[in-house]
Amino acid sequence: MNCPNCGAPNREGVGYCQHCGTPLAQSQPQQNYQQPYQPNQNNQPYTNPYANQYNQPYQPPQNSLANDKYNGHPMGWYKFMIYFSLFAGAVLNLISGIITMTGAHYGTYKNMVYTYVKSLKTIDLIFGIVFILIAAYAIITRFQLSGLKKSGPPMLYSLYIIGMIVNIAYVVAVAAAVSKFSIKFTQVTSISSLASSLTVSAVFLVINIIYFGKRKDIFVN
């Protein structure tokens, strides 16, 4: 190391020049090593915010067909049947059964009819009970349909078929009972009422066979 004042050489590490006493600046060894890389906390790698959204498996909405117990079928007629028609039919059959059992459908001719045709009282009693049983069967059918039971639609078809058969059988039994007497058949039963009832039942039967036949896939319970 040379003195900056007199130029005299000095040895390493001395603080002053040995010749003139001038303070000497000490040289500091340079550090040649590199500091390890410290990444900036804000310098994070880019991530797509929508990546997870598109990679998630499809989740159908709650109101989609996956959660629809009716498999997308329109069920307006079905609801009409279970909430009104079958209940109304059961009530009508119950009333018909009571009227038939008591002979109230003969009106003022009741005593006369039962006096001349005694077998009619037995016929009315039997068919009155049958009508009440049909009313109970209608209620059972209703709950089978509302529960989407496999037996629901067949029970509904049989309900209309049984109803038509019973009504025809009742008219035939009454006609046979009064045929031996001079009492007019129209005095004890109404042919037009029977025809209307059978027509309505037949129409409902056909509609329901077509309607529920297209919805077999939901009646699997």
Side-chain angles (χ1 to χ4, degrees):
M1 177 182 295
N2 296 326
C3 176
N5 181 40
C6 64
N10 293 274
R11 59 184 178 82
E12 291 286 344
V14 298
Y16 298 92
C17 177
Q18 296 178 353
H19 298 276
C20 66
T22 301
L24 299 176
Q26 298 294 323
S27 62
Q28 299 295 329
Q30 296 183 355
Q31 296 180 352
N32 294 326
Y33 66 89
Q34 294 182 350
Q35 295 292 332
Y37 173 72
Q38 298 292 334
N40 191 341
Q41 292 183 356
N42 295 326
N43 188 21
Q44 298 297 327
Y46 173 76
T47 57
N48 186 354
Y50 301 101
N52 292 333
Q53 175 180 348
Y54 294 111
N55 292 331
Q56 293 295 327
Y58 173 70
Q59 297 292 336
Q62 292 184 355
N63 294 328
S64 68
L65 297 183
N67 295 310
D68 183 10
K69 65 179 181 178
Y70 300 132
N71 293 341
H73 293 295
M75 303 300 287
W77 178 260
Y78 164 80
K79 293 177 181 179
F80 166 75
M81 292 298 298
I82 65 173
Y83 292 123
F84 175 76
S85 181
L86 288 171
F87 280 124
V91 171
L92 291 175
N93 275 287
L94 178 62
I95 294 173
S96 295
I98 295 173
I99 291 174
T100 303
M101 290 176 63
T102 59
H105 55 305
Y106 299 133
T108 57
Y109 296 99
K110 173 183 174 181
N111 293 331
M112 182 187 70
V113 170
Y114 284 157
T115 299
Y116 285 94
V117 190
K118 296 181 180 180
S119 60
L120 277 180
K121 191 170 186 179
T122 302
I123 293 172
D124 288 341
L125 178 62
I126 293 173
F127 279 92
I129 294 173
V130 172
F131 288 139
I132 293 174
L133 291 176
I134 291 175
Y137 187 67
I139 297 299
I140 296 173
T141 300
R142 185 269 173 197
F143 285 105
Q144 291 294 304
L145 283 176
S146 64
L148 299 179
K149 302 296 184 181
K150 187 183 297 184
S151 59
M155 289 180 66
L156 181 64
Y157 309 151
S158 64
L159 176 65
Y160 287 108
I161 294 173
I162 292 171
M164 289 188 288
I165 292 173
V166 169
N167 277 282
I168 293 173
Y170 177 67
V171 171
V172 170
V174 171
V178 303
S179 62
K180 299 177 182 179
F181 302 89
S182 59
I183 301 175
K184 293 181 179 180
F185 180 66
T186 54
Q187 290 180 323
V188 293
T189 188
S190 173
I191 298 298
S192 61
S193 177
L194 173 65
S196 299
S197 176
L198 293 178
T199 300
V200 172
S201 295
V203 170
F204 268 69
L205 175 62
V206 173
I207 291 174
N208 283 299
I209 289 175
I210 297 173
Y211 181 85
F212 288 102
K214 295 179 180 179
R215 290 160 176 78
K216 291 181 179 179
D217 55 307
I218 64 176
F219 291 93
V220 295
N221 296 336

